[in-house]
Amino acid sequence: MKTLIAGLGLLLLSTAAQALTWNFDQDPQGWVATEAEGPGTSPRLPLLQGSVDQGIWKVPLLPYHQGRSPGLTLYSPLIGHNSRLFDEMTIRLRLVHSSPVISSLILSWTNAVNDLYPGNDPDFLGGGCPPNPYCHPRFWLVSRPVHYTTQWQELRVSSLRTRPATWPGGEEYEILWEGALSDIRLSMPFIDAGPQDTLSAQSADQVPQAVEIDWIRLIGTREQAAGELPPPTITR
């Protein structure tokens, strides 16, 4: 699997919403962006050098390259709180692009079960997870279709809890959202597969210039009942 790239940083907590919120007031707050894994991408995903201006984290995408799938993955800093405090993730963002893109949003995470294989499933790294030998379904959720627009929008992944699930082929497994939450990752491929099911960009005008992110938030009914969370004390 791709090399883990993790960032260090402090977490800001929103008193008003009583949620774990990164609002990028002055810097990325420990978040790191890389190129998203996909067709034509490098075995070592390059860092994407973004910048923060007036509370907006702007992450540029790599320029067009024939045969490469455009997209990015965002890696959170260390979280350290119990996963069960949260049951929903929301991100507010917009594309810097000429037109909207219909694709997907993939949320993956690391906890005590897969800590040695961050973001992946240690049981399936050697294969046996149909139909993709590299999949790790116990530690990710896919939202599709997602309409990425050039206007500000909030994208939400809910039902974050340990629960049974079924793979498209009918195989049953269990999503594991429990124990100390080390990090979360948000992968966003910015290509509309279309009728030819082509996952790589065919021209430069298919590649967005950048993604602008206003905030990212983890929230849950248990977390709200407990009140504002203290900053994590765990370090790497």
Side-chain angles (χ1 to χ4, degrees), residues 87-90 105 107 141 143 155-160 186:
D87 54 32
E88 183 175 286
M89 185 287 308
T90 308
L105 171 64
L107 170 67
L141 291 170
S143 298
L155 301 178
R156 184 173 291 106
V157 179
S158 55
S159 298
L160 296 177
L186 301 171

Side-chain angles (χ1 to χ4, degrees), residues 11-234:
L11 302 179
L12 291 188
L13 301 172
S14 168
T15 303
Q18 293 187 334
L20 187 58
T21 302
W22 296 268
N23 50 27
F24 310 118
D25 279 343
Q26 299 178 342
D27 56 59
Q29 297 179 246
W31 282 79
V32 175
T34 74
E35 182 182 28
E37 182 176 353
T41 56
S42 170
R44 295 183 64 88
L45 299 174
L47 283 169
L48 302 177
Q49 300 298 329
S51 60
V52 173
D53 183 30
Q54 298 182 351
I56 302 299
W57 182 25
K58 185 175 182 178
V59 182
L61 271 71
L62 293 178
Y64 166 73
H65 179 76
Q66 186 175 9
R68 184 169 62 201
S69 176
L72 59 79
T73 298
L74 306 178
Y75 299 77
S76 81
L78 185 66
I79 296 173
H81 291 297
N82 193 307
S83 305
R84 294 187 180 186
L85 289 172
F86 313 107
D87 54 32
E88 183 175 286
M89 185 287 308
T90 308
I91 180 172
R92 187 172 190 263
L93 53 69
R94 67 179 176 186
L95 283 186
V96 181
H97 196 30
S98 58
S99 61
V101 173
I102 302 175
S103 184
S104 60
L105 171 64
I106 304 166
L107 170 67
S108 60
W109 59 88
T110 306
N111 57 28
V113 178
N114 66 334
D115 194 47
L116 295 179
Y117 304 90
N120 299 310
D121 191 329
D123 287 355
F124 296 129
L125 289 177
C129 178
N132 182 347
Y134 301 106
C135 74
H136 33 89
R138 297 190 298 169
F139 302 93
W140 56 249
L141 291 170
V142 181
S143 298
R144 65 163 62 95
V146 172
H147 293 250
Y148 292 98
T149 74
T150 57
Q151 304 298 316
W152 286 110
Q153 63 182 135
E154 294 181 14
L155 301 178
R156 184 173 291 106
V157 179
S158 55
S159 298
L160 296 177
R161 64 183 187 277
T162 294
R163 57 184 171 88
T166 304
W167 196 245
E171 298 82 4
E172 295 182 351
Y173 63 97
E174 186 176 47
I175 294 172
L176 294 179
W177 180 264
E178 59 186 45
L181 183 63
S182 296
D183 62 38
I184 60 173
R185 299 114 185 276
L186 301 171
S187 293
M188 292 172 267
F190 296 123
I191 190 73
D192 186 352
Q196 302 301 318
D197 197 28
T198 302
L199 295 177
S200 57
Q202 302 301 300
S203 62
D205 59 7
Q206 287 185 284
V207 181
Q209 176 186 336
V211 179
E212 293 184 331
I213 304 158
D214 189 3
W215 48 258
I216 300 173
R217 177 176 299 155
L218 282 170
I219 194 168
T221 53
R222 295 187 183 186
E223 188 272 338
Q224 292 184 70
E228 184 179 354
L229 289 170
T233 57
I234 303 173

